[in-house]
Amino acid sequence: MNKKASVVIIGGGINGCALAYELAKKGVKDVMVIEKNFLASGSTGRCGGGFRQQWSTPMNIKFAMESVDIFSRLDEELQYKTEYYQGGYLILAYTPEEIRQFEKNVRLQREMGLDVRLIEPKECLKIVPDLNIDGVLGATYCKSDGHANPFYVTQAYAKKAKEMGVQFLLDTEVIAIDSHNDRITAVQTDKGKIMTDTVVNAAGGHAHLVSSMLGLDIPVKPYRHEILVTEPVNRIFDPMIISFHYHIYMRQELNGGILMGQGDPNEPSSFNVEGSFDFINQVCKKGMKIMPVLENISVVRQWAGLYAVTPDAQPILGPVPPFDNFIHIVGFSGHGFMLAPRVAQHITDYIVDNKLSDEIKNCSIDRFKNMDLDVDVNVV
Amino acid sequence: MKDDQIIICRCEDGTLADVKDAIHRLGLRSVEEIKRVKRFGMGHCQGKTCGKLISQIISRELNISYEDMAPATTRQPAKAVSVKEFASYQEGN
Ligand SMILES: Cc1cc2nc3c(=O)[nH]c(=O)nc-3n(C[C@H](O)[C@H](O)[C@H](O)COP(=O)(O)OP(=O)(O)OC[C@H]3O[C@@H](n4cnc5c(N)ncnc54)[C@H](O)[C@@H]3O)c2cc1C
Ligand code: FES
């Protein structure tokens, strides 16, 4: 094992692997990714794989739009088939309040150049003929939203990064971080110590534990989110369908299986990633209401993963004081897959050129000092 | 029979050659990883039959004793059940 690295990235999820690749691409040598299990074994491998640009805050919209642009070229750039697919996102409104919020969202999104529309229930049927529009007052639809396979995207980044010289230590856990005069000097793992002067915390649902190794208390908490998949069936619908009202989303994978997930807003924070019967019961009820044709399709697997949630549902990016060489890419609050490609580039600019972009400044941990947060309300 | 004619996961058309490729070329070392990257074990049997085969292949190819290998996570439901059946379950039934 190398005893030295220029940059140590803790966490082999989409964020750690995308960053490793972007750093290598910029010519940074001796980058090391440390992952306690295997690649994508955390939230990334458990996630829905969706990318959407329909957000309610300018920052998330911009980030997501730029990420989609990268996603669309990723297969070619990384020479890997990631099952990238722009099937759109259809977000259903069931209450007048939702319609009002969606009008506001669409106005903002269109101002920022996104091709998105608020549509009537009847038009929803043109996009998803099997949709049950009972109670649906309208929906927003953006064609360029979509999904990719999270395992493949992670593998794609990691494989290319490896070819470019990045070292991946799997089955290796970071257990402590050494510092001296507010600078990190080394990372301790269960397999030995690595000297380094830049550490990136990309530990997903366990990020706050990694920060706490240096006595930092970051406002990121893990929450379980559950999801299931059905047997593969013929094509029924193209877009990801979301309802904030019912806290549910569903999409059909390219192989035909249908994913359905939901968050329980009342569940307390925990590291629990067990599937529950209550979830499967609830999500099947809601899923059948939204899409009655699902009723005879069999559920083959359920699982759960962690959302790493911050008080304003936006990530914490960049260095966390007092350490300017302890960089965080954490707290994605359930949308870290879709933002990762662009976030990795911003963080690379900081590590390589010491350049703090406006995006990173916006996502700095300092924002929690002032109370007037721009909370993104478009969260399932 | 050739490696690419021996079916390991019938749902994903996964052959012995594919599993060996996953181990040697992609560097995967467990049933869990192969499941995620190649989808073998994600079909109807959910790894209950093919998972053991894949474990045996890994153990043979990488010279790890079969007993030392971590078993793949088994996920609910144990048997495929329809959305309607799950939805119709009421508390107290
Ligand atoms: C059910 C579900 C559905 C989701 N759907 C979507 C979606 O549709 N679209 C979207 O954009 N996002 C979605 N998300 C959120 C998304 O999964 C995450 O935001 C994203 O995967 C975070 O990636 P990451 O690389 O930051 O973290 P992770 O993928 O969690 O990676 C962190 C890694 O760090 C490792 N690690 C932790 N501690 C240590 C340590 N001490 N030493 C070494 N390694 C360590 C872990 O093993 C893990 O592999 C979903 C999440 C869930 C749970
Ligand atoms: S044979 Fe395909 S999942 Fe087991």
Side-chain angles (χ1 to χ4, degrees), chain B residues 68-86:
Chain B
D68 285 350
M69 294 190 40
T73 324
T74 47
R75 305 247 189 238
Q76 284 144 326
K79 240 174 62 197
V81 173
S82 75
V83 168
K84 185 161 78 187
E85 284 170 85
F86 275 126

Side-chain angles (χ1 to χ4, degrees), chain A residues 32-307:
Chain A
M32 188 184 275
V33 177
I34 304 183
E35 164 54 53
K36 68 175 173 185
N37 298 312
F38 52 83
L39 297 181
S41 59
S43 304
T44 300
R46 298 159 187 272
C47 89
F51 53 80
R52 75 169 139 124
Q53 304 150 96
Q54 303 184 57
W55 292 96
S56 73
T57 66
M59 198 200 64
N60 276 349
I61 299 169
K62 179 160 185 279
F63 246 138
M65 284 175 72
E66 290 170 356
S67 268
V68 168
D69 187 48
I70 303 172
F71 269 120
S72 69
R73 289 180 276 108
L74 213 52
D75 283 20
E76 199 185 335
E77 177 164 350
L78 303 176
Q79 290 152 315
Y80 203 108
K81 287 201 172 59
T82 61
E83 296 187 350
Y84 164 84
Y85 183 66
Q86 281 177 306
Y89 261 55
L90 186 68
I91 309 185
L92 306 174
Y94 284 92
T95 66
E97 293 76 48
E98 279 191 300
I99 291 284
R100 273 195 294 281
Q101 177 68 40
F102 285 12
E103 281 168 351
K104 229 169 84 186
N105 294 348
V106 166
R107 212 173 307 128
L108 174 66
Q109 291 156 0
R110 292 188 67 93
E111 266 168 33
M112 297 187 65
L114 188 65
D115 184 6
V116 55
R117 284 178 307 134
L118 188 61
I119 61 176
E120 298 285 324
K122 262 209 218 112
E123 202 180 336
C124 295
L125 286 178
K126 283 199 197 125
I127 300 165
V128 182
D130 289 308
L131 186 76
N132 172 16
I133 53 170
D134 281 358
V136 175
L137 302 182
T140 61
Y141 178 59
C142 171
K143 258 203 316 257
S144 59
D145 289 344
H147 54 83
N149 183 317
F151 304 119
Y152 294 175
V153 178
T154 309
Q155 288 294 332
Y157 272 122
K159 186 167 167 281
K160 206 59 181 188
K162 242 181 256 171
E163 286 167 18
M164 296 163 89
V166 174
Q167 207 188 338
F168 285 80
L169 303 186
L170 306 183
D171 294 319
T172 306
E173 182 168 0
V174 172
I175 48 177
I177 304 172
D178 298 345
S179 69
H180 180 71
N181 288 344
D182 294 343
R183 287 203 60 87
I184 288 175
T185 52
V187 163
Q188 309 228 24
T189 77
D190 56 355
K191 310 239 164 84
K193 179 163 160 171
I194 296 132
M195 307 300 294
T196 182
D197 57 18
T198 305
V199 171
V200 179
N201 179 357
H206 294 84
H208 63 296
L209 298 181
V210 169
S211 307
S212 72
M213 291 175 187
L214 283 166
L216 300 174
D217 182 16
I218 59 166
V220 178
K221 283 195 187 148
Y223 290 88
R224 173 176 72 171
H225 268 251
E226 298 190 61
I227 186 164
L228 61 73
V229 68
T230 71
E231 63 188 325
V233 291
N234 288 340
R235 200 85 197 138
I236 300 177
F237 59 110
D238 243 9
M240 173 91 91
I241 299 173
I242 298 191
S243 159
F244 300 123
H245 183 68
Y246 288 112
H247 293 283
I248 185 180
Y249 56 86
M250 59 170 90
R251 76 161 166 91
Q252 189 165 18
E253 301 197 276
L254 290 188
N255 81 344
I258 295 164
L259 290 177
M260 288 198 277
Q262 81 168 356
D264 174 356
N266 299 317
E267 184 163 315
S269 170
S270 80
F271 290 111
N272 183 5
V273 288
E274 294 290 313
S276 72
F277 187 79
D278 207 35
F279 158 76
I280 207 168
N281 177 227
Q282 294 290 327
V283 88
C284 286
K285 270 190 198 148
K286 293 179 191 173
M288 236 173 76
K289 178 170 185 301
I290 292 174
M291 193 85 84
V293 291
L294 298 185
E295 67 175 19
N296 291 320
I297 300 172
S298 291
V299 175
V300 292
R301 185 167 68 254
Q302 75 172 125
W303 67 97
L306 299 175
Y307 273 24

